Amino acid sequence: MTTTDWDAAADAFDQEPDHGLLDPAVRAAWAARMAAWLPAPPSRVLDLGCGTGSLALLAAERGHRVTAVDLSPRMTALARAKLAGTDAEVLTGDAARPPVGEGRFDVVLARHVLWLLPDPEETLRHWTALLRPGGRLVLVEGVWSGTGLPASRLTTALAPVTERVEYERLSSDTALWGRPVDDERYALIATPAPPRRHREVVDVHLVLRRGDEVLLARRAGTGYGDGLLNCPSGHVESGEDVRTAVIREAAEEIGVALAPGDLRVALVMQHRGPGGRPRIGWFFEAAYGAGGEPYNREPDKCSGLAWHPLSGLPDDMVAYCRAGLDAYRAGERFVLHWHEDDDPVAHSPGTDRSTVLPATRGGSRGDSR
């Protein structure tokens, strides 16, 4: 249905028993369900696709702080009239992307709304992001004459973003509808999973210097960036610190036996690859000659080593590594490098995804001398 359809339907909307809740028995049945579904008042409740505001009014009467949203201007006008005298806020806007800014809520409530939206799964992900820690989704849906959403589809959609989903069959409770119904009607009360502690892969990169030149390796057979150049590099393994890791990687990849005193921190970069997850890269500088003559110790992963001028790096490099070396050459020490999802892995001349993070210069003694 379009916005115009809902505007045209608004004046007669409350004639349905479960819309207007004009029958005391129907109203009492919904009030009892709402009392069970919502946390103890006062909590912040976001009622999406609120219609004329009947459920929003039940929540407000129990002492909840309610924000109600509907796409239809006529519906929201009737909801404002119904909620007059409460502190509820009524907004006109898209239920899928409600106009609540940075607002966060204890409950996101939606009755017979998701089935009308073009992408219920994406909508649920967005609604979950509107919840405060410990919040809940309360979804009333069903299937009527072949239209609507079966509970199995929504529980599947909720599984990746929730810790627990409770199902309540509502079809048999005739008091809710003011008459017997023989279709599928249900409620889902979903509790999102608690936020997980952020974790990232840690990389190490060796900037081996020979005057103005740096040693680069051409990747091969790795499944990532093959054919492109990058510094000798690898992941930090469990239990390693970053300095130990770069010493190990230098030995494994280019046969150089570095000592801790050979290394200087060149750059620290947080990076996100195209469509990937963030990672932290530590770039260490060492001088040519430290640890011996480099050679290709991993021909199954590298097709060759070559020296390249830092002042004129080639374009056929992994973008992450190229951005790190460009920042290092410019004297920067802390950088973000965040790809767009459709970016190539390879360096793309003219496209710079780097953001330099200012660093303190010098120290402070904390005295007046």
Side-chain angles (χ1 to χ4, degrees):
M1 275 183 122
T2 65
T3 303
T4 304
D5 293 325
W6 286 115
D7 282 341
D11 288 336
F13 189 76
D14 279 355
Q15 293 177 13
E16 286 292 325
D18 58 308
H19 292 171
L21 310 185
L22 303 178
D23 183 325
V26 175
R27 193 175 197 279
W30 280 102
R33 294 282 181 166
M34 291 283 284
W37 294 336
L38 303 185
S43 63
R44 294 199 64 191
V45 177
L46 179 61
D47 182 4
L48 297 175
C50 67
T52 61
S54 295
L55 293 188
L57 180 59
L58 291 180
E61 288 176 340
R62 286 189 57 82
H64 297 288
R65 300 188 297 275
V66 178
T67 300
V69 178
D70 201 279
L71 188 61
S72 161
R74 181 57 183 157
M75 289 285 192
T76 53
L78 293 172
R80 288 189 187 97
K82 188 176 289 187
L83 289 159
T86 74
D87 62 358
E89 179 182 25
V90 181
L91 305 173
T92 302
D94 185 359
R97 293 280 170 171
V100 295
E102 297 300 314
R104 293 297 179 266
F105 302 86
D106 301 296
V107 178
V108 172
L109 167 69
R111 180 176 67 169
H112 301 163
V113 175
L114 272 171
W115 73 283
L116 293 166
L117 302 179
D119 191 343
E121 287 77 11
E122 173 57 30
T123 297
L124 286 173
R125 286 191 289 272
H126 183 66
W127 287 358
T128 302
L130 297 176
L131 291 170
R132 292 172 168 175
R136 67 187 70 173
L137 295 173
V138 178
L139 310 172
V140 179
E141 287 294 337
V143 178
W144 311 271
S145 303
T147 62
L149 293 170
S152 58
R153 178 175 173 183
L154 294 189
T155 53
T156 298
L158 288 166
V161 294
T162 56
E163 186 176 43
R164 183 177 68 254
V165 179
E166 299 176 16
Y167 169 88
E168 291 186 24
R169 184 171 180 268
L170 304 180
S171 305
S172 57
D173 189 347
T174 57
L176 291 171
W177 318 110
R179 62 184 185 278
V181 296
D182 58 4
D183 44 33
E184 180 186 3
R185 304 189 188 195
Y186 61 88
L188 298 178
I189 298 85
T191 305
R196 295 180 180 177
R197 182 169 294 178
H198 182 67
R199 296 181 180 180
E200 294 188 2
V201 170
V202 179
D203 298 327
V204 289
H205 305 255
L206 178 63
V207 183
L208 190 62
R209 294 288 304 270
R210 189 175 71 177
D212 178 55
E213 296 179 315
V214 294
L215 184 69
L216 299 179
R218 192 170 298 279
R219 300 177 66 89
T222 68
Y224 179 85
D226 289 334
L228 300 176
L229 293 164
N230 69 302
C231 293
S233 60
H235 295 167
V236 177
E237 295 181 353
S238 179
E240 281 186 322
D241 62 68
V242 291
R243 188 174 62 177
T244 299
V246 77
I247 290 172
R248 175 183 52 76
E249 290 289 349
E252 291 175 355
E253 294 190 11
I254 59 173
V256 170
L258 296 173
D262 297 327
L263 297 167
R264 297 291 182 272
V265 176
L267 179 86
V268 178
M269 174 187 281
Q270 188 185 33
H271 161 73
R272 175 186 178 273
R277 301 182 68 178
R279 59 180 58 209
I280 298 290
W282 284 72
F283 289 70
F284 286 89
E285 175 194 90
Y288 171 66
E293 184 71 22
Y295 66 98
N296 184 5
R297 284 200 67 194
E298 295 185 327
D300 57 324
K301 298 178 182 178
C302 172
S303 62
L305 304 175
W307 295 95
H308 295 268
L310 186 61
S311 57
L313 291 170
D315 287 335
D316 58 336
M317 293 186 65
V318 175
Y320 173 19
C321 181
R322 172 62 186 264
L325 291 179
D326 285 343
Y328 160 72
R329 180 171 177 266
E332 304 298 343
R333 292 297 177 260
F334 303 97
V335 180
L336 300 178
H337 187 259
W338 225 251
H339 274 298
E340 301 291 337
D341 285 346
D342 58 353
D343 282 348
V345 172
H347 169 67
S348 179
T351 300
D352 185 5
R353 301 300 188 197
S354 298
T355 301
V356 172
L357 302 179
T360 58
R361 303 295 182 186
S364 173
R365 294 177 179 269
D367 57 31
S368 58
R369 288 179 295 172

